Amino acid sequence: MFVGRELELAQLRDCARAVTGGQPRVVLVEGEAGIGKTQLVRHWLTDPFMKDFVVLQARCDPSEQDLAFGPIQQLISATPGTLLDDFPLLKGPIPATMPPYEVGRQLLELTSALQARRPIALVVDDLQWADTASLHAWGFVLRRLDADALLVALTLRTTHRERDPKLEEMLRRLVTDVRGNVRLPLEGLATGQVAELIEGTTGQPVSEANAARMRRHTGGNPLYVTSLLAELPKGDLAGAPVTALPVPLSLATAIHGQLLNLPEPSRALAEAAAVLGTPMPLALVGKMAGVKAPAAALEAALEAGLMRWLPNEPSAPVELTHELQRQAVIEAIPPDRLRQLHAKAEHLVDRHAAWAHRVGAAGPTDLRLAAELVTAADEEFAAGDADRSATLLLYAADLEATRVQRERHLLTAVARLAAFERYTRIATLLTRVRATEPCAMRCLVLGADAMNRGMLAAAEAHYAEAVARSEEEGDTWTGLMAQVAMSGVLNFLGRHDEGIRAARQALAIDPDMSWALVNLSTGLALAEGAPAALRELAQVTPEVVRSAARGKPAGAHLLTVQGAIRITAGSLTAGIEDCALAVRLSRSHGVPALADFAYGLTAAAQYLLGDWDDVPISVDHAHAITSNGDGKAAAYDWEYSAAVWLAAGRGEWDRAEEHLRAAESRSGLEGNAHNSTLMAISRAVLAQARGDQHAMLQAVEPLLQAEAGWPRHLQVFWLPLHSEALIAAGRLDQAATAVARLQATAARDIPCLRTAAAWLSGRLAERLGDTARARTIYEQGLSPGPQADVVLLHRAMLEHAHGRIMHLEGQTADAAKWLDQARHRLEKVRARPFLERLAGDIPTPRTPSVPGPANPVALSGRERDIAHLIGRGLTNKEIANELFVSSKTVEYHLSHIYLKFGFSNRRELRDHVQRGALSDASS
């Protein structure tokens, strides 16, 4: 019986209309249990307007919260198998180790393919019980919607008990972070609607007074109202006095009363269905319940609204109508009968669900079953499923006879979740963790929690205690995990020698511990320089590539680390290629690749190389991962830093300041030398673009004090800034020292700084009055020859300086050549502050160049990205993969680009971009 909700239905219809017009919508229907969320959505789906939609549905279940991507697999289960051939991650079981953003990326493209003919509606019921991996994947999809004919309807219970605040925030952000979101909070029915519900359900009229009392007591909750109908007198409800209406104090009590009013066979059937907790064929449920005529027994349960029958599904299953009803029925079953039903259910469900029923059928302690659960948990963890492993260990803990064993299973479960960074679930268990007796594993878990919250000093203390206690307790695994984690903490703190020692100790225990090698390589790069780190990685990274060829890749994250170290050592192109390969392996095989760092560091390298139109794409990729909860806090440092540099280089001061503030606040790691170094560099880059040498010096001078560590490791980004600022400030003695250091570093360690060394040493010679020497230095720096990884700004400044000095000497024709080359480089990347400086530095008019359009075409950021990739020859599908959007979004923006430029086809746009004309388009 469905009544009322006219306003909500009208809003849902409006959303459907918007979607058919190419405007995606996300609708969150929220309210207390039993308020009618699911009924509203079901009724809406029967609306004639929805007949043109392809509807994919999923229902989240509390018993499957440890099943990674379970609801997503429900959504795609009705998709034609031939279509799924193009989406290998979605075809078949999705591995629990698969990065959620990668699953989201393919799900986004799948929905795009389904939109080819009809709009799509994705309906997810009871979102509060979704697994974390699915929430992250959905979050990725919803934040990337743009011009898709996609309607997403989510239902969320607002009174779910024991929900962690972080999970609560994640659920809210699924909608609030999305443009075109609609929130539909459901309130109780009005008195007239309650009367309509009662009359429609019972077939009897009801007085306004009785309906009003029912409304006051139930708050108009439809499930509560219908549950109370079993308690109403069978006489004339229209004339019954208000005081005669029995009104149970709670919905659970009302459902219990409903159950007691059923005939015994119907009650037994409802009890069996409640214990199963999943739709099952009526015959199987009847057999489990011991009911000889299940069809007849079902009728009374259907009439009471306790059960529902799904005749349109192949096996025509039955189930309890609502989760609240299921819980109330289970609570009403006597303990012995409940154990009997669990024992029977074990043989009717899959092997994962069977464990819960075996536990339910066991007594208060069952050491044999606990041992089986531990063995199964170990197998799940070895297969990469930390959530399932943790669930089984928590089951085992409930069956143990001693506190020591119960706590051991609990702590092992949480430690395994930490190993896979399942911090949202860990948060729900921390109260129990803190109540355990001190031991090595407890310290390991608390250290992981502290690290996740950015409390590095606390994390170090916990990990150090875990190492010490593990030696006393003989707990090798916990000691190993603590050593690995502590080595990473020490690196971030800038205590790289200690980090190296901790990593080597971990590798002495397990030479195959790849995360220890990650931390060792990072520590070596900080302490001894990139060559020492790359020598360590050279022993294992070739095997990563070979394993990929065999279809069994492992260690893709090592390629990311190698790429990061190469980039910071100035081997920019090779580093980008390493990061790209790591990401490709992650996409194709579902292995971890530190993709958030890969994209952030790639953006930093692209900034140096002058691939400025690629920088926002890489930054957007990194941010899509970290903001979705799939990345690490420290990755924010790179993505926001690269965003600051690009905005500063283009003179977008407000945007640069915004990114800088975000970079300083979002990493959240206290005492983090990695973060503080990158923030200093970002402040210096912003000051450079503004021509503020004093702010440049203020930013970088603290970095000079470090003989090693993050400042030295990242000097490719700041060393030229220091020399430039000293020369501009007239501190020439100090500048001579700084330039000498820059020249030595370029010659010995970072070849891509040779251009900067030539520019700044020549600039220093000019300031000292030796123009002849300056000119010689400039000519040598610009001499033909192989030049890999040339930094764009350094080359442009060198060309500019050479042209300027030739101009001052009267060689205007030759000067014009170099000045125009510098100008062309800067115009290509739209480096407005540097172009203005170049123009202001030449006292005579510049050499005429081909003028740009009087009114440049205005492109949005997304349109510019798409046009840029069209220029590289990518297809729409390739662009969608590159930008983490759907093909439908690419098509939409491409049509707008054609219209703005007046082009009629792709070739015209590609040729336009390849001529470099895109730099004339404003953002």
Side-chain angles (χ1 to χ4, degrees):
M1 182 67 188
F2 183 84
V3 300
R5 309 301 188 198
E6 289 84 2
L7 179 61
E8 290 85 356
L9 285 170
Q11 289 179 276
L12 288 167
R13 292 188 191 104
D14 288 344
C15 289
R17 290 190 187 94
V19 168
T20 58
Q23 301 176 45
R25 288 289 183 270
V26 178
V27 184
L28 179 66
V29 182
E30 53 187 338
E32 66 180 8
I35 202 68
K37 303 179 294 295
T38 302
Q39 287 288 70
L40 171 65
V41 173
R42 285 178 183 160
H43 190 76
W44 164 61
L45 291 176
T46 65
D47 191 297
F49 194 82
M50 295 300 297
K51 71 179 186 304
D52 292 329
F53 278 74
V54 174
V55 179
L56 303 179
Q57 300 187 66
R59 184 180 65 175
C60 306
D61 190 290
S63 66
E64 295 184 345
Q65 284 182 283
D66 64 354
L67 176 58
F69 305 112
I72 287 179
Q73 294 189 148
Q74 287 184 51
L75 283 176
I76 62 178
S77 61
T79 305
T82 52
L83 182 60
L84 289 178
D85 287 342
D86 293 332
F87 307 98
L89 300 188
L90 306 182
K91 190 172 185 178
I94 304 173
T97 54
M98 184 65 65
Y101 78 90
E102 286 292 355
V103 175
R105 186 180 61 82
Q106 290 211 1
L107 183 60
L108 182 65
E109 191 57 30
L110 173 61
T111 60
S112 180
L114 289 170
Q115 293 170 47
R117 296 181 180 176
R118 298 167 64 188
I120 308 299
L122 300 184
V123 179
V124 182
D125 202 12
D126 283 327
L127 192 67
Q128 71 276 359
W129 289 316
D131 64 287
T132 304
S134 291
L135 289 175
H136 283 309
W138 282 325
F140 181 89
V141 171
L142 300 187
R143 294 184 191 99
R144 314 304 289 183
L145 296 180
D146 198 338
D148 300 85
L150 181 62
L151 174 56
V152 180
L154 312 168
T155 73
L156 174 66
R157 182 189 294 189
T158 55
T159 54
H160 187 57
R161 293 176 298 174
E162 298 179 2
R163 194 148 69 211
D164 178 72
K166 288 186 179 179
L167 177 59
E168 190 79 35
E169 177 63 18
M170 185 190 303
L171 293 170
R172 297 293 177 200
R173 286 186 57 214
L174 278 178
V175 177
T176 56
D177 284 2
V178 179
R179 290 184 295 110
N181 73 81
V182 177
R183 294 180 67 175
L184 293 181
L186 293 193
E187 305 293 340
L189 300 175
T191 299
Q193 294 166 337
V194 169
E196 184 183 352
L197 179 60
I198 294 174
E199 292 171 0
T201 303
T202 65
Q204 303 175 46
V206 60
S207 69
E208 184 177 353
N210 283 346
R213 183 183 179 201
M214 188 76 81
R215 167 71 180 81
R216 284 194 303 273
H217 183 73
T218 64
N221 184 302
L223 181 60
Y224 200 167
V225 171
T226 54
S227 299
L228 286 178
L229 296 182
E231 296 290 306
L232 291 177
K234 301 298 183 182
D236 184 6
L237 292 176
V242 173
T243 54
L245 284 174
V247 184
L249 296 177
S250 71
L251 176 53
T253 309
I255 295 171
H256 192 191
Q258 238 184 334
L259 185 67
L260 293 176
N261 277 287
L262 291 177
E264 177 58 35
S266 302
R267 193 185 315 151
L269 194 71
E271 290 173 345
V275 170
L276 279 165
T278 189
M280 278 284 177
L282 177 61
L284 290 179
V285 179
K287 184 177 181 181
M288 175 179 161
V291 174
K292 293 182 179 179
L298 178 63
E299 289 184 15
L302 292 174
E303 185 177 347
L306 266 178
M307 294 183 68
R308 68 187 186 116
W309 178 42
L310 308 172
N312 293 327
E313 295 190 15
S315 61
V318 294
E319 63 177 347
L320 269 290
T321 304
H322 196 281
E323 177 63 23
L324 271 182
Q325 292 171 319
R326 190 176 83 85
Q327 290 297 329
V329 170
I330 288 176
E331 289 169 6
I333 302 173
D336 287 342
R337 174 160 172 74
L338 183 60
R339 283 195 291 272
Q340 292 170 7
L341 288 172
H342 275 301
K344 293 179 179 180
E346 172 194 344
H347 305 290
L348 301 178
V349 296
D350 63 45
R351 66 184 183 90
H352 294 296
W355 285 114
H357 290 298
R358 290 187 65 186
V359 172
T365 60
D366 189 328
L367 302 186
R368 182 175 180 179
L369 178 56
E372 289 184 55
L373 286 161
V374 171
T375 300
D378 292 344
E379 293 171 355
E380 295 287 358
F381 187 66
D385 197 334
D387 286 291
R388 277 281 169 86
S389 176
T391 296
L392 295 177
L393 286 169
L394 294 173
Y395 286 160
D398 290 338
L399 298 175
E400 292 287 0
T402 67
R403 176 179 176 178
V404 171
Q405 284 299 98
R406 288 194 296 270
E407 291 185 352
R408 181 71 183 180
H409 296 330
L410 166 66
L411 293 171
T412 303
V414 180
R416 289 179 176 179
L417 291 170
F420 281 80
E421 300 181 343
R422 302 291 200 265
Y423 292 111
T424 302
R425 188 175 181 190
I426 287 172
T428 65
L429 299 168
L430 281 176
T431 300
R432 291 172 61 184
V433 167
R434 293 191 179 101
T436 61
E437 288 293 314
C439 66
M441 193 169 289
R442 180 180 185 272
C443 296
L444 175 67
V445 169
L446 293 177
D449 175 62
M451 180 65 178
N452 179 55
R453 291 188 286 123
M455 301 169 63
L456 296 184
E460 181 195 358
H462 286 305
Y463 287 140
E465 186 178 354
V467 171
R469 286 183 177 274
S470 68
E471 293 174 358
E472 298 171 5
E473 298 167 10
D475 187 347
T476 304
W477 184 85
T478 299
L480 173 63
M481 294 298 102
Q483 286 280 12
V484 172
M486 189 162 63
S487 64
V489 171
L490 292 167
N491 282 339
F492 277 116
L493 288 170
R495 290 156 51 194
H496 33 79
D497 291 333
E498 296 173 68
I500 291 171
R501 187 160 55 249
R504 290 201 186 282
Q505 288 170 348
L507 287 167
I509 299 171
D510 183 357
D512 296 324
M513 176 54 71
S514 61
W515 290 104
L517 182 56
V518 167
N519 294 336
L520 173 61
S521 303
T522 304
L524 287 171
L526 295 172
E528 302 175 23
L534 293 173
R535 281 194 297 272
E536 287 286 340
L537 291 167
Q539 302 174 39
V540 293
T541 48
E543 179 54 34
V544 174
V545 179
R546 286 193 292 270
S547 69
R550 296 193 296 268
K552 297 180 179 180
H557 50 295
L558 294 172
L559 285 171
T560 298
V561 174
Q562 179 172 275
I565 293 171
R566 281 179 166 170
I567 287 170
T568 56
S571 297
L572 306 175
T573 304
I576 290 174
E577 290 172 354
D578 280 339
C579 290
L581 177 57
V583 169
R584 284 198 300 273
L585 292 178
S586 177
R587 284 186 173 185
S588 58
H589 296 88
V591 293
L594 292 171
D596 46 348
F597 283 100
Y599 286 123
L601 280 149
T602 294
Q606 288 166 337
Y607 167 81
L608 292 181
L609 289 171
D611 298 327
W612 284 16
D613 283 334
D614 287 319
V615 172
I617 297 173
S618 297
V619 167
D620 189 52
H621 286 176
H623 190 63
I625 297 170
T626 51
S627 65
N628 201 51
D630 298 330
K632 295 178 173 60
Y636 279 117
D637 299 343
W638 284 103
E639 66 191 63
Y640 279 115
S641 293
V644 170
W645 306 345
L646 180 64
R650 287 180 167 163
E652 299 167 351
W653 310 124
D654 290 344
R655 185 176 296 181
E657 293 281 4
E658 178 186 348
H659 289 315
L660 184 58
R661 287 192 297 271
E664 291 172 336
S665 64
R666 289 296 295 273
S667 74
L669 296 175
E670 61 180 26
N672 181 359
H674 172 265
N675 172 266
S676 60
T677 301
L678 275 172
M679 295 311 94
I681 293 169
S682 294
R683 286 190 288 272
V685 169
L686 180 55
Q688 178 199 31
R690 284 176 162 159
D692 186 346
Q693 66 267 21
H694 297 294
M696 289 172 69
L697 284 172
Q698 187 177 16
V700 300
E701 282 187 329
L703 305 180
L704 297 170
Q705 310 307 315
E707 293 297 323
W710 290 106
R712 179 181 172 185
H713 182 56
L714 301 178
Q715 62 186 337
V716 66
F717 301 106
W718 66 265
L719 202 56
L721 298 174
H722 181 232
S723 296
E724 180 185 355
L726 288 171
I727 294 169
R731 293 161 58 174
L732 301 185
D733 289 342
Q734 292 173 283
T737 303
V739 168
R741 175 178 174 177
L742 175 61
Q743 290 172 321
T745 302
R748 183 182 62 245
D749 300 322
I750 308 178
C752 76
L753 291 182
R754 289 173 182 167
T755 303
W759 159 46
L760 291 167
S761 58
R763 187 73 176 136
L764 177 61
E766 279 193 80
R767 290 297 301 269
L768 292 171
D770 193 345
T771 55
R773 182 168 181 271
R775 177 171 176 170
T776 299
I777 293 171
Y778 293 149
E779 288 175 347
Q780 290 174 346
L782 292 168
S783 61
Q787 293 182 317
D789 297 321
V790 175
V791 177
L792 176 132
L793 284 180
H794 298 166
R795 176 73 183 191
M797 293 300 101
L798 177 59
E799 291 168 341
H800 170 209
H802 187 39
R804 178 176 42 75
I805 207 168
M806 295 181 75
H807 181 90
L808 293 174
E809 292 177 352
Q811 301 179 42
T812 54
D814 289 337
K817 181 188 74 169
W818 292 110
L819 291 171
D820 283 346
Q821 284 190 19
R823 188 177 300 113
H824 175 72
R825 292 183 196 279
L826 297 173
E827 286 176 343
K828 185 177 180 181
V829 297
R830 306 191 303 285
R832 181 173 58 83
F834 298 95
L835 282 165
E836 292 173 353
R837 200 168 307 160
L838 184 150
D841 207 18
I842 304 300
T844 57
R846 71 178 195 176
T847 303
S849 58
V850 179
N855 297 303
V857 174
L859 298 180
S860 69
R862 181 66 75 206
E863 288 169 349
R864 180 175 288 280
D865 292 343
I866 290 172
H868 171 63
L869 295 175
I870 289 286
R872 281 170 41 186
L874 273 64
T875 66
N876 283 6
K877 187 173 182 180
E878 289 169 338
I879 293 172
N881 282 328
E882 187 76 13
L883 296 181
F884 286 178
V885 297
S886 67
S887 295
K888 192 80 172 178
T889 292
V890 175
E891 294 167 8
Y892 170 80
H893 288 297
L894 197 51
S895 67
H896 281 253
I897 296 169
Y898 288 159
L899 186 63
K900 288 180 177 182
F901 279 111
F903 295 152
S904 59
N905 58 56
R906 190 185 201 90
R907 187 181 50 128
E908 288 180 310
L909 175 59
R910 185 194 63 215
D911 292 346
H912 182 77
V913 174
Q914 290 178 350
R915 287 196 304 270
L918 192 60
S919 59
D920 296 328
S922 62
S923 295

